[in-house]
Amino acid sequence: MQNLSVSDIISATGGTLVSGSDEEIIHNITIDSRKADKNVLFVPLKGEKADGHDYILSALEKGAVAISERDISDTSSAIVKVKNTRIALGDIARYYKMKYPVKAVSITGSVGKTTTKDLVYAVISQRYKTHKTPNNFNNDIGVPLTVFGIEKEHEAAVIELGMSHFGEISYLADIARPDCAIITNIGMSHIENLGSQEGIFRAKMEIAERFTSENTLIVNGDDKYLKTIKDTPYKVVRFGMSDNNDVYAKDIVNNGLKGMEFTVVHPNGEFRAELMQPGEHNIYNALAAVCAGLNMGVSETDIANGLKNCEYTASRLEIIDCNGTEIINDCYNSSPDSVRAALKVMTYSLKPRKVAVLGDILEMGEYAKDAHFDLGKTVSCMGVDLLITAGDNAKFIAQGAKEDGMENVISYDCTDDLEKHIKDIIKPDDCVLIKASHGMEFYKLTDALKN
């Protein structure tokens, strides 16, 4: 993090200095009091189980400065009182991004955000010293922490924006201040809160609310909703598989679990590209990264190198060999579309038995039963030899598969119950897909098989 002063914190938040000096310099910001130290700003946040304000005095004793909603009796340390520390965190990040501007690409979408982030970073970093969102720091806490990671040497940043309600993307985009934005697709994720795919589309489009003629929005031109965008004050670049897009793929070669090869066609030419990540759906993510690279002046050669050598975040179609058992570890998150894509990837395996281990897709609301049931029908026609489900809604996956004629189906009430038995069910030389929403904690199943 680059330096801020307490005076900067006051300007950013509109807060009041209640003790200490406004000239004190801050070298870092933390929401964890255990990491508090001299020249570190401690931001206490209220959570479901704890309130960071209870640890302010501990942070101050270590030499930290702090913002606070409470009145603090300490008179030696710099303390800025604010109305809401969570909002103040965002205010400080917005101020920081404007004080230390770099070229920024922000990414949102129902499916593929993190993989696209990894690919965009791999492409852009071929030319620019680039910072990116760590892990899935994409909410109102993670995005500010990501922004604070922009150092003096950085020339660009790739910032992932997540959401589950209206207004969240607007808020996060105002902090990230992207020059260019990507919307990967409009799916069913968070439909419980947004009501419909039309609602999801409107929420995702908040990313471009502040765009002018100097900005570029990159969208999936094959998507039912995103293809309708028109008459905007900013530039729109479309990618996809069909040749009516600005950037599209042709001559696709599927190398199974080893990845994909394809030719990228863009307005000024074409070039051959290779992905080490399996799945045709990942070509869409790669094309989004190509558009971002071209928009930022990255050469065809560098774009191709970036795509081929991309390092992906763990638990996204991660292929793990465990003593002959082939695990497709895709347990970080889930949606109906991503489950279908992962099932298709599993068909590439040469293992004699294919086992799909599927759990609940969360935040589906009234659509949950039908969406899970329909997935069961998909499972039954994808060459799956054994279906194992865990969770209340995942039982509808099992029901749909059985009604479609699948016989080898096992269901468990919860992840912990399945964890006790999975090592007895899975055999050497199986291919096992592990997929569920993050809240289902399916990483326990991957760990059980790995250990």
Side-chain angles (χ1 to χ4, degrees), residues 69 77 90 119 134 241 305 318 324 449:
E69 298 172 20
S77 302
L119 287 162
M241 299 296 186
N305 286 336
E318 181 183 18
L449 293 176

Side-chain angles (χ1 to χ4, degrees), residues 315-353:
S315 300
R316 271 84 167 178
L317 286 179
E318 181 183 18
I319 311 300
I320 304 170
D321 183 356
C322 291
N323 299 318
T325 301
E326 189 174 67
I327 300 174
I328 303 176
N329 181 31
D330 197 19
C331 66
Y332 194 85
N333 224 330
S334 190
S335 70
D337 288 338
S338 66
V339 172
R340 289 186 172 89
L343 287 167
K344 187 171 183 180
V345 167
M346 189 166 64
T347 65
Y348 306 157
S349 173
L350 301 177
K351 296 292 186 181
R353 191 173 78 144

Side-chain angles (χ1 to χ4, degrees), residues 104-108 157-161 172-173 176-183 207:
V105 180
S106 286
I107 300 161
T108 192
V158 182
I159 305 173
E160 181 181 335
L161 308 184
L172 296 177
R177 301 282 167 139
D179 303 278
C180 167
I182 296 170
I183 305 178
I207 201 168

Side-chain angles (χ1 to χ4, degrees), residues 31-56:
I31 60 173
D32 185 344
S33 63
R34 293 168 297 183
K35 297 179 180 178
D37 206 343
K38 186 174 176 57
N39 300 119
V40 173
L41 173 67
F42 174 55
V43 179
L45 300 178
K46 296 177 181 178
E48 293 180 3
K49 298 180 179 180
D51 186 342
H53 288 81
D54 296 336
Y55 304 94
I56 284 183

Side-chain angles (χ1 to χ4, degrees), residues 305-408:
N305 286 336
L307 296 179
K308 183 175 182 179
N309 297 301
C310 178
E311 295 183 8
Y312 297 94
T313 303
S315 300
R316 271 84 167 178
L317 286 179
E318 181 183 18
I319 311 300
I320 304 170
D321 183 356
C322 291
N323 299 318
T325 301
E326 189 174 67
I327 300 174
I328 303 176
N329 181 31
D330 197 19
C331 66
Y332 194 85
N333 224 330
S334 190
S335 70
D337 288 338
S338 66
V339 172
R340 289 186 172 89
L343 287 167
K344 187 171 183 180
V345 167
M346 189 166 64
T347 65
Y348 306 157
S349 173
L350 301 177
K351 296 292 186 181
R353 191 173 78 144
K354 297 176 177 62
V355 182
V357 183
L358 304 178
D360 288 356
I361 301 170
L362 304 178
E363 297 187 26
M364 295 293 291
E366 64 183 273
Y367 298 89
K369 181 177 179 179
D370 289 344
H372 285 82
F373 185 84
D374 289 344
L375 278 177
K377 291 187 173 183
T378 300
V379 170
S380 70
C381 65
M382 293 291 282
V384 175
D385 299 294
L386 171 63
L387 169 64
I388 306 172
T389 71
D392 294 334
N393 287 323
K395 291 178 181 177
F396 296 120
I397 301 177
Q399 182 181 336
K402 289 177 181 177
E403 291 195 15
D404 212 50
M406 189 170 182
E407 297 180 356
N408 296 324

